[in-house]
Amino acid sequence: MYKLYGALGSPYSMKMRALLRYRRIPHLWIDGSAAREALAQVRAPVIPVLQYPDGHFDNDSTPLIYDLEARHDQRSVVPPDPAQAFIAHLLEDFADEWLTKAMFGYRWLEEVDQVQMSRWLAFDALKGGGLEASQKFAAMFRQRQVSRMALVGCTAENFALIEASTRAVLAALEAHVVNRHSLFGTRPSLAEFGIFGQLSQLGTDPTAQVMMRADYPYTYRWLAHVDDMSGFGGDWEPGFAPVVTELVRIAGEVYVPFLRANAEAAEAGAATFRMTAMGLPYEQAAFKYQIKCLRELQARYRSLDAQSGVPLASVLGENWLGLLSA
């Protein structure tokens, strides 16, 4: 049986738990101190960590999803249509690498969120030991996370763009989920689980939760459904729903310039980069991992045959086509 080591406050842990539930892959959910011990078994010490039935450990949610696809046939989360599969991957990547900034910003920019969430995360991790020990751990963890804000681009100056793009995503979902819960038919893809992982945290943190409940109440409730879709059936459907086109457009407006600026900065040996998207400024340190994400998107796009590329052109738009064809 698989063992998923994670945490309730980790968007990628919630993403993988929901996906395993949907796919009905038997697993144990393990958090707290045991999750920390599992980190010693992987190269990059980040959760979630998945222990396989044969005993080996691995992490990084996107490669894990594709590895599980290769190992298990039932209830796939990758659409069989190559064009849809590519778009699902693109949206999952957008959620993992851009929407995560909303999670981080809402959690650590305002004091009310810093206090509650550092204490809750300490409570989750320690599972006992007394209030004094828990709050001492919370204070240290809060200081560490807040100190990393500028490094990952979640500053007060950048948050206008982060929030505007997040609200655009939420508005697109709000118009869609009142009709159906999934993006590519009546069954979920990896895109839904990627988006869910990040939004699951907005649904618990004080400031973001108030915002979601007030302005996007059905998307807020949608989170509870995606958390366990083990009872859902459904089918893939051809074409692209309006919500998919809109989410790709939003990603093209924000995530494309982010990926391009980051790659150009890394190539030039610059430590940081600046960009403007949605008419708003943004600046952060350059990261190698996002270059890997860009190269993966480009490779997947190039691997599509000509027939699959026809419907994609109208969905992707100029921003994405220019980046993917580079």
Side-chain angles (χ1 to χ4, degrees), residues 20 56 60 66 76 84 107 126 136 173 203-205 207 232 251 258 265 293 307 312:
L20 287 168
H56 85 273
D60 196 341
Y66 285 110
S76 169
Q84 289 185 333
R107 179 166 289 174
L126 299 180
K136 182 178 180 181
L173 288 172
T204 61
D205 294 18
T207 300
F232 280 67
F258 170 84
C293 295
Q307 185 176 0
L312 272 181

Side-chain angles (χ1 to χ4, degrees), residues 265-297:
E267 184 177 352
T272 62
F273 66 88
R274 296 180 181 180
M275 69 169 197
T276 300
M278 301 179 75
L280 296 166
Y282 184 89
E283 180 178 3
Q284 77 158 67
F287 277 92
K288 291 182 178 179
Y289 189 84
Q290 278 73 47
I291 299 175
K292 177 183 175 181
C293 295
L294 172 57
R295 299 296 178 247
E296 177 72 12
L297 284 167

Side-chain angles (χ1 to χ4, degrees), residues 21-321:
R21 286 172 168 177
Y22 168 72
R23 298 202 63 195
R24 299 175 184 166
I25 297 174
H27 65 283
L28 297 176
W29 165 254
I30 304 170
D31 65 357
S33 59
R36 294 198 301 273
E37 293 168 7
L39 293 174
Q41 306 298 322
V42 291
R43 180 179 300 178
V46 293
I47 55 174
V49 177
L50 186 66
Q51 184 178 9
Y52 285 69
D54 66 5
H56 85 273
F57 295 80
D58 208 347
N59 62 349
D60 196 341
S61 62
T62 302
L64 285 176
I65 289 173
Y66 285 110
D67 188 52
L68 291 171
E69 286 287 324
R71 293 168 181 265
H72 301 277
D73 295 331
Q74 78 273 17
R75 297 167 68 82
S76 169
V77 296
V78 178
D81 175 73
Q84 289 185 333
F86 174 77
I87 294 298
H89 178 91
L90 182 152
L91 292 177
E92 188 251 6
D93 186 67
F94 169 60
D96 279 0
E97 305 303 325
W98 179 263
L99 287 183
T100 195
K101 297 180 184 301
M103 179 280 298
F104 206 84
Y106 276 113
R107 179 166 289 174
W108 301 114
L109 274 174
E110 300 295 334
E111 185 175 14
V112 62
D113 301 283
Q114 292 176 13
V115 171
Q116 176 173 304
M117 296 315 299
S118 63
R119 290 180 177 179
W120 278 15
L121 296 175
F123 174 84
D124 293 347
L126 299 180
K127 287 187 170 58
L131 184 61
E132 182 179 353
S134 179
Q135 292 197 355
K136 182 178 180 181
F137 180 88
M140 292 187 296
F141 186 73
R142 173 185 175 184
Q143 182 179 23
R144 189 190 77 174
Q145 294 299 91
V146 172
S147 71
R148 298 181 66 242
M149 296 292 281
L151 180 68
V152 297
C154 292
T155 62
E157 294 76 16
N158 288 342
F159 198 67
L161 174 59
I162 294 169
E163 185 170 42
S165 57
T166 301
R167 281 185 170 272
V169 168
L170 290 170
L173 288 172
E174 188 73 5
H176 178 75
V177 298
V178 295
N179 295 307
R180 59 174 52 185
H181 283 181
S182 300
L183 301 179
F184 298 94
T186 54
R187 60 185 291 174
S189 73
L190 69 163
E192 285 92 320
F193 293 111
I195 293 169
F196 161 77
Q198 304 304 325
L199 298 187
S200 69
Q201 305 307 299
L202 272 61
T204 61
D205 294 18
T207 300
Q209 185 190 77
V210 169
M211 178 269 291
M212 285 193 72
R213 289 172 68 100
D215 298 338
Y216 314 100
Y218 293 104
T219 303
Y220 174 79
R221 192 60 175 169
W222 176 78
L223 298 176
H225 291 275
V226 181
D227 189 42
D228 190 345
M229 299 186 78
S230 58
F232 280 67
D235 296 302
W236 305 111
E237 296 179 2
F240 295 100
V243 66
V244 173
T245 302
E246 177 63 5
L247 291 173
V248 172
R249 184 197 67 77
I250 295 165
E253 190 173 1
V254 178
Y255 192 41
V256 165
F258 170 84
L259 288 173
R260 180 178 286 116
N262 180 73
E264 290 174 351
E267 184 177 352
T272 62
F273 66 88
R274 296 180 181 180
M275 69 169 197
T276 300
M278 301 179 75
L280 296 166
Y282 184 89
E283 180 178 3
Q284 77 158 67
F287 277 92
K288 291 182 178 179
Y289 189 84
Q290 278 73 47
I291 299 175
K292 177 183 175 181
C293 295
L294 172 57
R295 299 296 178 247
E296 177 72 12
L297 284 167
Q298 291 172 328
R300 287 179 178 274
Y301 180 73
R302 287 193 296 268
S303 71
L304 294 169
D305 59 35
Q307 185 176 0
S308 297
V310 173
L312 272 181
S314 60
V315 175
L316 288 170
E318 292 183 4
N319 286 343
W320 275 113
L321 290 172

